[in-house]
Amino acid sequence: MTDPQRTSAAGSADAYDPTVAHPSHELVHDRADALLALHHAPEILTVVNVWDVASALVLADLPQTKALATASHAIAASYGYEDGERIPVDLMIEAVGRIALSTSLPVSADLESGYGDPGETVRRAIGVGVVGANLEDAMRPHIESVENVAEVVKAAEAEGVRFALNARTDALLLRGDRPLDDAVADAIERGRAYLDAGASCVFVPGLIDEELAGRLVEGIGERRVSVIGVPGSLSPKRYEELGIARISYGPWPQRVALTALQQSALELYAGGSLPPGTQLLT
């Protein structure tokens, strides 16, 4: 039998055609509802980011994994591109589509700032089975950023999907020399506006300590704030106690994997063996 992932509409082997290979509308609808429920549950949603089918399958095999999230930086790096929408949107959609097709778990995709057309990019992502997304504001003007969120929500509604939009504000990440209090106030103002425009959650990347997490939750809402885990971050359990809805890890899982690869190579070059517990090929 021909694998739909390996044959395009034009019949070319190895070409990925998302119009042929994607979950059914019913499955997409169910996964979207599941992802929204995970964001709104009392327990924090912990997602360890993936960048290809292999990494997705490794995590999907763990019973603790409830959903998957892609990392734009990690996907771009795997194709030889820098982060920041340098990777062509077609290639990014193909990558997240392959991941969504490989698992029965709900998949949220990091779609950066929407590649110039947030609504259309999300529509295409839904078409390949993605049921949630990060959308960066990159500190664009407030009105423009809110309009981008509204466009995504409208596109998802047109597709009949209750899309989990994790609207990201870079108010802290890009604050530069601004006082922290001003940046926090900006993050809260933008976060509230994104929720009013239909976002499910507000992603505030940066090193978020207890005091800052409490201020964001108080200002944006309980179970409405998403953070990134970086070296020095609080534990997921502590973030949960503070009212955070979601924690993801961006490009760090790929860096962990590449560090392990480099360390293993050094061991092998030195005449050693593969690490104990290395997964067998299936």
Side-chain angles (χ1 to χ4, degrees):
M1 178 180 292
T2 301
D3 184 345
Q5 294 187 70
R6 310 294 289 181
T7 306
S8 72
S12 173
D14 283 333
Y16 173 81
D17 184 357
T19 65
V20 175
H22 65 82
S24 69
H25 180 77
E26 290 74 18
L27 282 176
V28 170
H29 186 276
D30 290 345
R31 293 178 190 180
D33 287 349
L35 186 58
L36 275 178
L38 288 168
H39 278 84
H40 297 157
E43 302 79 19
I44 192 170
L45 172 59
T46 300
V47 284
V48 180
N49 298 75
V50 300
W51 57 94
D52 59 12
V53 170
S55 57
L57 292 178
V58 167
L59 291 184
D61 196 42
L62 300 175
Q64 297 91 337
T65 304
K66 307 302 180 185
L68 296 174
T70 70
S72 65
H73 188 288
I75 290 176
S78 69
Y79 283 102
Y81 292 95
E82 294 182 3
D83 195 27
E85 298 192 349
R86 303 294 183 87
I87 184 172
V89 63
D90 290 349
L91 195 52
M92 179 61 76
I93 294 296
E94 176 184 334
V96 301
R98 286 181 181 273
I99 290 168
L101 189 64
S102 74
T103 178
S104 61
L105 294 172
V107 173
S108 178
D110 181 352
L111 298 178
E112 306 198 62
S113 296
Y115 297 88
D117 191 342
E120 174 62 13
T121 299
V122 164
R123 186 194 67 78
R124 292 181 61 187
I126 292 172
V128 296
V130 169
V131 294
N134 287 3
L135 184 72
E136 303 171 11
D137 63 11
M139 294 307 291
R140 291 179 173 81
H142 182 90
I143 293 177
E144 179 184 346
S145 298
V146 173
E147 288 176 346
N148 286 341
V149 170
E151 283 183 20
V152 167
V153 173
K154 182 179 179 181
E157 289 176 346
E159 296 298 314
V161 173
R162 296 176 65 226
F163 199 74
L165 177 59
N166 194 31
R168 168 175 156 172
T169 176
D170 291 317
L172 297 185
L173 204 62
L174 300 180
R175 75 182 179 98
D177 296 330
R178 285 201 304 164
L180 178 60
D181 286 348
D182 290 351
V184 172
D186 201 354
I188 290 171
E189 180 182 9
R190 284 171 175 262
R192 287 174 171 171
Y194 299 161
L195 292 177
D196 288 343
S200 308
C201 204
V202 177
F203 181 26
V204 188
L207 182 58
I208 308 297
D209 60 18
E210 291 205 13
E211 189 268 342
L212 189 49
R215 292 173 66 181
L216 292 171
V217 169
E218 181 180 4
I220 296 173
E222 186 93 7
R223 311 294 304 150
R224 287 296 181 269
V225 178
S226 172
V227 298
I228 185 170
V230 299
S233 292
L234 304 176
S235 69
K237 182 62 176 177
R238 185 60 186 136
Y239 281 130
E240 177 182 294
E241 293 168 349
L242 293 167
I244 297 295
R246 165 176 163 168
I247 181 170
S248 57
Y249 294 88
W252 290 102
Q254 186 189 55
R255 293 176 185 177
V256 169
L258 294 176
T259 299
L261 173 62
Q262 189 176 62
Q263 291 173 343
S264 293
L266 289 173
E267 177 68 19
L268 295 173
Y269 291 147
S273 303
L274 290 169
T278 298
Q279 289 199 2
L280 299 176
L281 294 175
T282 58

